């Protein structure tokens, strides 16, 4: 079999087939470490700096390993890039056909049964939907995958697609007449036949959390998993090992029971009454949580004493609906998924209201009319140890941001991986030459009232020096808005504001408008790739400490304290250092990029803990003078 060296070496297979390929020692080292971990059934953490070429460094060993390997990426876009670009390219270097597939969430695939039902029933609203329906119907006849990504002409915000997709809530499973030719069945079949399966973290953890349950797994058995963008997995895993129930879930259930019972002719006055009753109970119960935003919830006993009746009425109402649906014998393939949903809501409510499990943090999250009751494990490390690391022989985690001040300790502790092989591969970029890191020394502390105005003036000065071409990133929406409002009439650059348009549209506008400046919050801190001069400056308002009063952060900090640690040193600082590293990672995306990183929070130079942040960043050239920024851009 072709060795790794033949792929990665100077003049090797990659260099011969790819005109832009450059030999990178770090990439070869990483590939060797991945190959070894797969062969020896070991876990591995690899921090691969930007430009390492980490995708090929794990993909080639995975393809050569002879095991079934799951590769999990941070987003659907990365999944597509991996499958359609990297795997397609590698196929030209392997003699045998590569056995690779991808799996996405069910809502990406068409449900054939719903499409056929829609032919007979009046579900289309307006001419736009009629046009979309025709597009989907024609495509359904030829598509092999049923993945909407193939239908590029279907608008991103199609209102019809969510009513025709294959999400499980309305799926009759094996009782469906289309089951054998269903795109979801096909997706599972392909996965069973593949050596490498590309998923995203959401699908991976949804599967992991369900593996022990009766409904079974989404993924076939596998011998190894490789996580790209592995810094995200603690948060994402939490969502799947936790619980969430909302008034919207109940409302959607009511809507779907009403629609399906009419379409499938099992509507009855009893079911209608059950739905009206459930709607009332739903409203009454969720009105008990009137406070906007995220609020901790801890006193379960008192809640039950005060509001036990509302809670009992809601669960009884769900029970009654299930009973009505279950006696509808002639439409079991349609009532079954509805009953299953009602039971899941009941289970969620019971867990949230009654269980008071002290290993979980509970909170409410109200956004205008939506109320979500949520719970996640406080400490994911034990869950991940038991469910992932003890079970899968080889787990490989890679990202550009896994170390804090040069060590993996924080990541290992958070994930429950005390003994593990580690590797750090430095970035290919010459940061000391390509980047100037600017921290204005005279600004007030970001917690002071004077900060916003002074920060706005500083941003103005930096943007004038850089000629726009910048991301200005904030830790809060409020602060972003306050600075933007102060500058919007004073800056002579095209300004883009997070929230004014979908993220992808903002990014496209940023790429296409000369000198554009984008004001953004958290979602622009990672996974955004703008190469070249158009992004020449990244300004960050403050050290990105998570809000300490947030229920999840507070519970996790408390847990660190109870385990004998110092929450600030052992949790908040490392977490913020990794986020800062992510934010700054937006700037340099190739060896020819150059630019300025500005941090308006001089605690990084004035406070003792600032050293941890500085030691976590690559070796940038540092300045505290705006004049140097000007000179940098004048060159
Ligand atoms: S099995 Fe489920 S998803 Fe597939 S076509 Fe039937 S109802 Fe739709």
């Amino acid at each position: 079999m072709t060795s790794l060296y033949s792929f990665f070496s100077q003049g090797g297979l990659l260099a011969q087939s790819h005109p832009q390929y450059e030999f990178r020692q770090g990439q070869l080292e990483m590939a060797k470490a991945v190959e070894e971990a797969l062969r020896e059934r070991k876990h591995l953490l690899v921090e691969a700096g930007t430009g390492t070429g980490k995708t090929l460094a794990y993909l080639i060993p995975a393809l050569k390993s002879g095991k079934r390997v799951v590769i999990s990426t941070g987003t659907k876009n990365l999944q597509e890039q991996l499958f359609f670009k990297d795997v397609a390219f590698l196929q030209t270097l392997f003699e045998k056909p590569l056995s690779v597939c991808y799996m996405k969430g069910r809502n990406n695939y068409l449900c054939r049964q719903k499409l056929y039902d829609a032919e007979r029933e009046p579900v289309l609203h307006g001419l736009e939907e009629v046009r979309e329906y025709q597009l989907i119907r024609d495509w359904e006849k030829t598509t092999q995958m049923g993945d909407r990504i193939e239908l590029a002409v279907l608008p991103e915000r199609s209102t019809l697609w969510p009513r025709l997709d294959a999400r499980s809530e309305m799926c009759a499973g094996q009782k469906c007449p289309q089951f054998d030719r269903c795109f979801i069945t096909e997706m599972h079949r392909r996965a069973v036949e593949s050596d490498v399966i590309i998923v995203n973290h959401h699908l991976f953890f949804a599967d992991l959390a369900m593996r022990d349950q009766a409904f079974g797994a989404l993924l076939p058995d596998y011998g190894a998993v490789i996580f790209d963008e592995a810094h995200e997995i603690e948060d994402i895993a939490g969502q799947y090992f936790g619980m969430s129930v909302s008034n919207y879930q109940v409302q959607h259930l009511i809507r779907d029971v009403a629609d399906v019972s009419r379409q499938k002719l099992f509507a009855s006055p009893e079911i209608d009454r059950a739905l009206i009753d459930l709607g009332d109970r739903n409203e009454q119960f969720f009105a008990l949580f009137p406070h906007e935003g995220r609020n901790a919830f801890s006193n379960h006993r008192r809640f039950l004493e005060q509001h036990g009746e509302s809670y009992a009425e809601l669960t009884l109402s769900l029970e009654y609906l299930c009973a009505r649906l279950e006696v509808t014998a002639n439409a079991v393939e349609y009532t079954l998924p509805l009953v299953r949903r009602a039971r899941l809501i009941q289970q969620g409510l019971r867990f949230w209201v009654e269980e008071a499990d002290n290993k979980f943090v509970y909170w409410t999250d109200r956004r205008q009319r939506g109320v979500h009751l949520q719970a996640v494990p406080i400490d994911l490390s034990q869950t991940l140890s038991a469910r992932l690391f003890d079970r899968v022989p080889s787990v490989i985690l890679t990202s550009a941001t896994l170390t804090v001040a040069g060590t993996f300790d924080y990541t290992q502790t958070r994930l429950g991986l005390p003994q593990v092989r580690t590797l750090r591969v430095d970035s290919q970029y010459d940061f000391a030459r390509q980047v100037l890191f600017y921290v204005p020394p005279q600004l007030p502390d970001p917690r002071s009232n004077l900060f916003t105005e002074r920060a706005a003036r500083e941003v103005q000065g930096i943007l004038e020096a850089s000629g726009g071409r910048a991301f200005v990133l904030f830790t809060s929406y409020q602060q972003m808005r306050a600075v933007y409002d102060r500058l919007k009439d004073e800056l002579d650059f095209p300004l883009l504001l997070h929230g004014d348009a979908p993220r992808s549209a903002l990014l496209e506008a940023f790429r296409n408008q000369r000198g554009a400046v984008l004001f953004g919050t958290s979602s622009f801190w990672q996974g955004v790739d703008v190469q070249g001069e158009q992004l020449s400056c990244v300004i960050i308002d403050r050290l990105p400490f998570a809000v300490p009063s947030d229920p999840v952060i507070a519970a996790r900090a408390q847990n660190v304290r109870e385990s004998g640690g110092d929450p600030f040193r052992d949790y908040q600082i490392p977490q913020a250092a990794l986020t800062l590293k992510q934010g700054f990672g937006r700037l340099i995306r190739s060896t020819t990029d150059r630019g300025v990183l500005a941090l308006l929070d001089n605690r990084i130079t004035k406070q003792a803990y600032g050293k941890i942040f500085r030691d976590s960043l690559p070796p940038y050239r540092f300045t505290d003078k705006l004049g140097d920024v000007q000179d940098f851009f004048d060159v």
Side-chain angles (χ1 to χ4, degrees):
M1 187 181 282
T2 321
S3 70
L4 284 182
Y5 193 74
S6 334
F7 279 99
F8 291 101
S9 60
Q10 270 161 347
L13 284 169
L14 290 169
Q16 288 165 29
S17 351
H18 207 298
Q20 272 125 36
Y21 184 79
E22 286 169 25
F23 169 71
R24 284 161 280 189
Q25 184 62 38
Q27 187 183 35
L28 177 58
E29 257 176 62
M30 175 173 169
K32 281 185 184 160
V34 172
E35 184 177 63
E36 222 168 78
L38 291 172
R39 188 178 55 236
E40 296 172 11
R41 301 160 62 92
K42 298 285 185 210
H43 302 327
L44 171 72
L45 279 173
V46 188
E47 183 177 76
T50 39
T52 310
K54 67 176 164 25
T55 310
L56 294 185
Y58 63 71
L59 201 46
I60 292 176
L63 289 165
K64 285 167 78 293
S65 70
K67 297 174 197 285
R68 180 179 288 136
V69 181
V70 172
I71 296 178
S72 183
T73 65
T75 62
K76 235 166 36 178
N77 285 350
L78 287 171
Q79 248 184 300
E80 283 154 12
Q81 203 174 310
L82 212 61
F83 184 80
F84 292 107
K85 196 172 133 240
D86 299 309
V87 173
F89 162 64
L90 287 179
Q91 180 61 78
T92 62
L93 308 185
F94 280 77
E95 280 166 18
K96 282 194 312 193
L98 297 176
S99 166
V100 183
C101 73
Y102 69 82
M103 293 174 82
K104 295 185 193 165
R106 296 179 62 121
N107 59 343
N108 293 282
Y109 298 89
L110 177 68
C111 168
R112 282 197 147 119
Q113 186 60 44
K114 285 186 193 164
L115 183 80
Y116 302 158
D117 286 348
E119 184 106 50
R120 296 187 294 271
E121 290 144 14
V123 294
L124 305 180
H125 307 301
L127 282 179
E128 190 52 28
E129 287 201 356
V130 171
R131 198 185 69 84
E132 287 177 13
Y133 180 80
Q134 281 160 357
L135 274 176
I136 298 171
R137 194 189 50 191
D138 293 346
W139 165 70
E140 183 260 346
K141 295 192 177 88
T142 55
T143 174
Q144 301 282 312
M145 307 267 234
D147 178 355
R148 75 168 286 181
I149 186 80
E150 298 168 1
L151 248 187
V153 283
L154 186 73
E156 202 183 326
R157 295 176 157 221
S158 161
T159 48
L160 181 60
W161 180 265
R163 301 211 301 282
L164 298 185
D165 72 27
R167 70 191 70 203
S168 61
E169 290 108 23
M170 303 291 283
C171 175
Q174 294 188 11
K175 293 201 162 42
C176 167
Q178 308 305 327
F179 181 78
D180 279 340
R181 47 193 299 271
C182 167
F183 294 119
I184 300 295
T185 313
E186 274 303 320
M187 176 178 78
H188 288 290
R189 216 173 273 153
R190 272 194 304 276
V192 171
E193 289 163 4
S194 294
D195 297 333
V196 170
I197 305 170
I198 302 170
V199 302
N200 56 57
H201 299 340
H202 285 276
L203 190 130
F204 182 85
F205 285 105
D207 171 77
L208 197 67
M210 282 194 336
R211 275 189 108 74
D212 297 332
Q213 292 174 15
F215 290 123
L218 304 165
L219 288 166
D221 288 344
Y222 47 88
V225 54
I226 300 174
F227 290 102
D228 199 344
E229 302 292 313
H231 59 278
E232 295 177 5
I233 69 170
E234 185 186 4
D235 279 348
I236 297 178
Q239 295 171 28
Y240 293 92
F241 290 111
M243 195 286 311
S244 174
V245 64
S246 72
N247 58 340
Y248 285 151
Q249 277 170 283
V250 182
Q251 283 169 14
H252 294 165
L253 175 70
I254 294 171
R255 182 199 60 198
D256 290 345
V257 173
D259 288 352
V260 176
S261 63
R262 270 171 185 71
Q263 283 163 14
K264 304 298 171 193
L265 307 177
F266 63 85
S268 68
E270 288 80 9
I271 290 182
D272 287 348
R273 266 200 301 279
L275 294 180
I276 291 169
D277 182 64
L278 180 57
D280 292 344
R281 306 293 173 219
N282 185 38
E283 233 170 79
Q284 281 158 15
F285 177 75
F286 282 95
L288 298 171
F289 310 98
H291 301 296
E292 274 291 308
R294 290 158 65 93
N295 296 285
F297 176 84
S298 54
N299 204 333
H300 292 73
R301 192 185 318 155
R302 206 167 96 216
F303 178 83
L304 273 174
E305 279 165 15
Q306 290 178 348
H307 305 295
E309 208 173 316
S310 292
Y311 164 63
E313 281 172 354
L314 177 59
T315 52
L316 276 176
S317 208
L318 282 160
E319 192 56 52
Y320 181 69
L321 176 66
C322 290
R324 297 306 334 158
L325 291 170
E326 277 165 345
V327 295
T328 313
N330 60 346
V332 66
E333 66 270 41
Y334 302 107
T335 55
L336 207 69
L338 297 167
V339 170
R340 203 165 60 212
R341 272 165 71 184
R343 297 255 182 253
L344 281 174
I345 296 172
Q346 266 184 324
Q347 268 174 30
L349 282 168
R350 195 172 306 126
F351 179 83
W352 200 86
V353 175
E354 294 183 46
E355 299 241 335
D357 185 333
N358 62 11
K359 292 197 176 64
F360 281 72
V361 47
Y362 295 77
W363 76 99
T364 62
D365 193 351
R366 177 181 266 276
R367 310 270 153 197
Q368 294 170 352
R369 298 170 67 81
V371 186
H372 300 260
L373 310 181
Q374 297 189 291
V376 295
I378 296 173
D379 180 359
L380 251 302
S381 65
Q382 286 171 11
T383 311
L384 288 175
S385 269
R387 307 283 286 267
L388 178 64
F389 300 120
D390 291 351
R391 224 148 92 166
V392 181
S394 180
V395 181
I396 295 162
L397 302 110
T398 185
S399 160
T401 52
L402 293 176
T403 66
V404 177
T407 85
F408 286 92
D409 296 354
Y410 172 74
T411 300
Q412 288 179 241
T413 311
R414 298 302 309 167
L415 299 181
L417 264 175
Q419 303 296 330
V420 65
R421 295 177 181 188
T422 61
L423 173 71
R424 266 184 82 192
V425 181
D426 285 337
S427 170
Q428 270 305 101
Y429 305 142
D430 180 357
F431 287 113
R433 187 180 56 78
Q434 293 178 261
V435 179
L436 182 67
F437 180 28
Y438 169 53
V439 179
Q442 73 288 357
L443 284 184
D445 188 301
R447 292 163 294 185
S448 130
N449 293 337
L450 304 172
F451 179 75
T452 306
E453 176 56 29
R454 299 276 304 278
R457 295 302 133 220
E458 192 64 47
V459 170
Q460 185 173 11
I462 300 168
L463 292 176
E464 278 162 7
S466 68
R469 306 183 297 164
F471 278 3
V472 192
L473 301 178
F474 295 85
T475 47
S476 84
Y477 187 83
Q478 227 179 356
Q479 183 74 337
M480 174 188 81
R481 194 75 234 193
V483 172
Y484 174 82
D485 285 344
R486 281 172 167 81
L487 293 177
K488 65 179 190 292
D489 298 325
E490 299 188 33
L491 292 173
D492 213 6
F493 309 110
L495 300 186
L496 301 161
L497 183 67
H498 185 177
D500 277 359
R503 188 170 174 270
S504 54
L506 284 175
L507 279 173
E508 201 177 320
F510 181 82
R511 288 192 179 100
N512 295 330
Q513 294 184 60
R514 226 181 142 71
V517 177
L518 187 145
F519 288 73
T521 63
S522 56
S523 74
F524 288 93
W525 284 68
Q526 46 181 308
V528 175
D529 197 353
V530 181
Q531 277 192 22
E533 281 196 5
Q534 194 59 16
L535 179 61
S536 293
C537 181
V538 171
I539 305 172
I540 286 181
D541 70 331
R542 57 189 289 171
L543 293 172
F545 289 114
V547 181
S549 56
D550 179 86
V552 178
I553 302 297
R556 291 191 171 152
Q558 177 65 15
N559 186 50
V560 171
R561 188 175 296 113
E562 284 165 8
S563 315
D566 173 344
F568 190 55
R569 183 196 60 207
D570 301 332
Y571 177 52
Q572 284 156 290
I573 291 177
Q575 189 190 44
L578 289 177
T579 311
L580 185 69
K581 221 164 145 175
Q582 274 292 331
F584 278 175
R586 302 309 98 223
L587 183 66
I588 300 298
R589 312 302 292 178
S590 81
T591 45
T592 52
D593 279 356
R594 62 193 293 278
V596 166
L597 295 170
L599 176 67
L600 308 184
D601 185 344
N602 52 40
R603 287 179 294 176
I604 196 167
T605 49
K606 292 186 174 159
Q607 298 290 343
Y609 62 73
K611 184 167 173 4
I612 300 173
F613 286 88
R614 297 197 304 275
D615 289 350
S616 300
L617 296 172
Y620 306 132
R621 184 152 59 90
F622 177 78
T623 185
D624 58 4
K625 295 178 191 63
L626 186 56
D628 290 344
V629 174
Q630 185 69 60
D631 293 346
F632 183 89
F633 285 115
D634 286 347
V635 172

